[in-house]
Amino acid sequence: MSGAHREAIQKQIHQDWANREYIEVITASIKRITDFLNSFDMSCRSRLAVLNEKLTTLERRIDYLEACVTQGETLT
């Protein structure tokens, strides 16, 4: 095997390792982004569920007050 051929193979091996390291960095970054987005999604869903409960409670109160006003009852 000639020296030039050996250098070419070593260069390819070095480039392959560099590519693998780059792919590993990109993969880890995508995983961190995915973890963040999943966490954000769960947080938003939880907060929206709480807001939905509060809105439902307010809607029920409004319905009750409208019914009272419609029937001419006094509020106590």
Side-chain angles (χ1 to χ4, degrees), residues 20-55:
R20 289 172 189 255
E21 288 173 355
Y22 178 73
I23 290 169
E24 188 173 330
V25 167
I26 296 297
T27 302
S29 296
I30 290 171
K31 184 183 180 317
R32 279 195 308 273
I33 291 169
T34 302
D35 290 344
F36 166 76
L37 289 174
N38 285 332
S39 174
F40 182 74
D41 175 60
M42 293 303 294
S43 174
C44 288
R45 287 177 189 261
S46 174
R47 291 178 184 192
L48 286 173
V50 169
L51 285 174
N52 189 44
E53 289 176 18
K54 290 179 179 180
L55 284 173

Side-chain angles (χ1 to χ4, degrees), residues 5-31:
H5 183 67
R6 185 178 304 159
E7 282 184 28
I9 291 174
Q10 287 177 345
K11 185 176 180 180
Q12 287 176 348
I13 291 171
H14 179 70
Q15 186 63 41
D16 181 59
W17 276 107
N19 287 341
R20 289 172 189 255
E21 288 173 355
Y22 178 73
I23 290 169
E24 188 173 330
V25 167
I26 296 297
T27 302
S29 296
I30 290 171
K31 184 183 180 317

